[in-house]
């Protein structure tokens, strides 16, 4: 069994174990797992409408996964993707609402605003990490809460005491009549193409540029990188800024595509936190993130059909999704088991 095969088997086994234990939970709770998973399947692939909605759900997960994966590849743990996504959401919604420009200018400007907002929110923990050696996990967790409440305050101020900004101008919208009609009037929009383009951008940065080589080197070994003449502090800051930009674009998917606005939030969206699992499932690779985001986007949307079609409470559905995340996070243990199995087979020969 090759290392490549092990890399493929680890996430597959994690998903299967999560679904199997989820089935046991449903049985113990008195529900039919076959009916439950049939409802889940129908909620993902049942018709063109739900397929469109599933793909739409995947878009922000790809970008959140890229944000986490990029930070991981550079030796950082960006827990602040949720907050960076929220400020990116607000920036895109505000620029999309406040200006009247030709679409060729307005839409890119709104996307850039989201990326810049997320990047600036990542810049703060990056500077604190580089200059003062403050652990990025602590800072980014706190920055999530700051982002949530600052954005809520800005929405209230700009809307004159309301809880929602005006809708973005059509010239800044990612909505697509063609994709909507193709999927039976779903909310599928052009954001999926933006997300896929960012997959290519991450791959290009990390694999084809000098900066990407330095970012990975600093992540592997700061002391060796510094000895080789690389600026460790600069690369730490750059890594957090690029990671934040990906997260901010994830917010733009919601602002310019799915909702067309932003409303006051009573809590986190959860997309940024799920991005951690997406990145882990995808082994922190750009291509892997697509598969991880596809899984989680599908589970999140398809699970909505389980209470209606199979009578399974939403709490049980949340447990099933959490179990999948748990086994994905435990992938290292599965990897050890597979490596030992390969070793035993070699010794037996």
């Amino acid at each position: 069994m090759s290392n490549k095969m092990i890399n493929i088997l680890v996430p597959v086994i994690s998903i299967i174990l999560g679904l199997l234990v989820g089935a046991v939970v449903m049985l113990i709770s008195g529900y039919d797992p076959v009916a439950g998973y049939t409802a889940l399947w129908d909620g993902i692939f049942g018709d063109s409408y739900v397929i469109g909605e599933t793909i739409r759900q995947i878009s922000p997960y790809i970008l959140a996964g890229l944000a986490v994966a990029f930070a991981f590849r550079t030796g950082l743990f960006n827990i602040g993707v949720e907050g960076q996504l929220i400020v990116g959401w607000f920036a895109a919604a505000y620029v999309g609402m406040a200006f009247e420009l030709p679409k060729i200018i307005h839409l890119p400007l709104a996307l850039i605003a989201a990326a810049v907002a997320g990047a600036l929110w990542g810049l703060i923990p990056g500077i604190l990490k580089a200059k003062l050696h403050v652990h990025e996990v602590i800072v980014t967790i706190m920055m999530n809460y700051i982002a949530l409440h600052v954005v809520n305050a800005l929405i209230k101020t700009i809307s004159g005491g309301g809880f929602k900004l005006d809708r973005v101008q059509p010239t800044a919208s990612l909505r697509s009549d063609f994709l909507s009609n193709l999927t039976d009037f779903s909310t599928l929009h052009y954001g999926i193409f933006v997300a896929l383009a960012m997959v290519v951008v991450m791959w290009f940065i990390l694999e084809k540029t000098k900066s990407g080589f330095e970012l990975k080197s600093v992540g592997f070994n700061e002391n060796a990188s510094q000895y080789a003449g690389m600026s460790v502090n600069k690369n730490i800051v750059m890594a957090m800024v690029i990671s934040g930009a990906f997260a901010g674009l994830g917010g733009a998917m919601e602002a310019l595509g799915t909702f067309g606005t932003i409303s006051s939030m009573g809590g986190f969206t959860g997309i940024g936190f799920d991005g951690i699992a997406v990145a882990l499932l995808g082994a922190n690779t750009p291509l892997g993130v697509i598969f991880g985001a596809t899984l989680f986007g599908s589970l999140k949307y398809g699970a909505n059909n389980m209470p209606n079609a199979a009578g399974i409470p939403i709490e049980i559905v949340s447990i099933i999704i959490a179990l999948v995340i748990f086994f994905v996070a435990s992938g290292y243990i599965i990897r050890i088991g597979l490596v030992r199995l390969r070793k035993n087979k070699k010794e037996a020969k």
Side-chain angles (χ1 to χ4, degrees):
M1 190 185 299
S2 65
N3 287 330
K4 186 176 181 181
M5 180 59 68
I6 289 176
N7 290 336
I8 294 171
L9 284 176
V10 168
V12 171
I13 293 172
S14 300
I15 295 165
I16 293 172
L17 285 174
L19 295 176
L20 285 175
V21 177
V24 173
V25 171
M26 282 190 276
L27 278 172
I28 293 172
S29 304
Y31 300 101
D32 182 359
V34 175
Y37 285 137
T38 300
L40 176 64
W41 178 268
D42 290 341
I44 301 171
F45 303 108
D47 54 42
S48 60
Y49 174 82
V50 297
I51 290 174
E53 291 295 332
T54 299
I55 296 173
R56 185 267 305 163
Q57 185 78 53
I58 290 167
S59 303
Y61 279 104
I62 290 177
L63 289 157
L66 290 177
V68 177
F70 191 91
F72 271 140
R73 292 288 295 275
T74 57
L76 299 168
F77 195 1
N78 184 7
I79 305 292
V81 171
E82 181 72 23
Q84 293 150 16
L85 183 144
I86 289 172
V87 297
W89 187 338
F90 171 80
Y94 178 75
V95 171
M97 171 203 75
F99 301 99
E100 293 185 8
L101 298 165
K103 192 175 185 73
I104 196 172
I105 298 173
H106 202 181
L107 179 55
L109 183 63
L111 291 171
I112 291 170
V116 169
L120 290 174
W121 216 252
L123 175 66
I124 298 170
I127 291 175
L128 291 174
K129 169 77 172 181
K131 299 296 184 182
L132 302 176
H133 304 289
V134 180
H135 203 290
E136 71 275 8
V137 170
I138 298 171
V139 179
T140 50
I141 287 174
M142 293 189 294
M143 293 289 288
N144 286 333
Y145 290 94
I146 296 170
L148 176 66
H149 295 296
V150 165
V151 166
N152 281 345
L154 287 171
I155 291 171
K156 189 173 183 179
T157 301
I158 294 171
S159 63
F163 299 96
K164 184 179 181 181
L165 294 187
D166 293 336
R167 293 191 65 81
V168 300
Q169 304 284 347
T171 50
S173 177
L174 285 168
R175 289 288 181 91
S176 164
D177 291 336
F178 170 74
L179 293 177
S180 180
N181 293 334
L182 191 66
T183 53
D184 198 18
F185 305 105
S186 74
T187 56
L188 179 61
H189 52 76
Y190 287 126
I192 186 64
F193 299 112
V194 176
L196 292 174
M198 290 303 106
V199 171
V200 177
V201 168
M202 175 176 164
W203 170 81
F204 183 80
I205 291 173
L206 289 178
E207 305 299 334
K208 298 296 180 181
T209 66
K210 176 187 173 185
S211 296
F213 176 79
E214 290 188 3
L215 286 166
K216 290 188 292 183
S217 296
V218 170
F220 283 129
N221 192 316
E222 289 186 9
N223 294 327
S225 299
Q226 191 168 21
Y227 182 77
M230 301 177 191
S231 173
V232 172
N233 289 346
K234 183 194 80 172
N235 282 288
I236 288 173
V237 173
M238 186 186 300
M240 288 301 296
V241 165
I242 296 173
S243 176
F246 284 134
L249 283 172
M253 300 300 99
E254 306 296 81
L256 308 177
T258 304
F259 298 102
T261 185
I262 185 171
S263 305
S264 295
M265 302 178 190
F268 295 124
T269 67
I271 296 172
F273 298 121
D274 287 340
I276 299 170
V278 168
L280 288 173
L281 185 62
N284 299 318
T285 63
L287 183 60
V289 164
I290 295 177
F291 293 110
T294 300
L295 171 67
F296 278 89
S298 300
L299 284 175
K300 284 288 185 179
Y301 186 78
N304 294 328
N305 192 48
M306 293 173 75
N308 298 326
I312 297 174
I314 193 66
E315 291 81 7
I316 299 292
V317 175
S318 298
I319 290 172
I320 294 168
I321 294 174
L323 283 168
V324 173
I325 296 173
F326 172 80
F327 282 104
V328 167
S330 305
Y332 181 71
I333 299 172
I334 298 171
R335 182 180 297 276
I336 291 174
L338 291 173
V339 170
R340 286 184 177 177
L341 179 63
R342 180 178 65 179
K343 185 178 179 182
N344 291 336
K345 283 185 177 180
K346 285 182 178 180
E347 290 175 352
K349 291 179 180 179

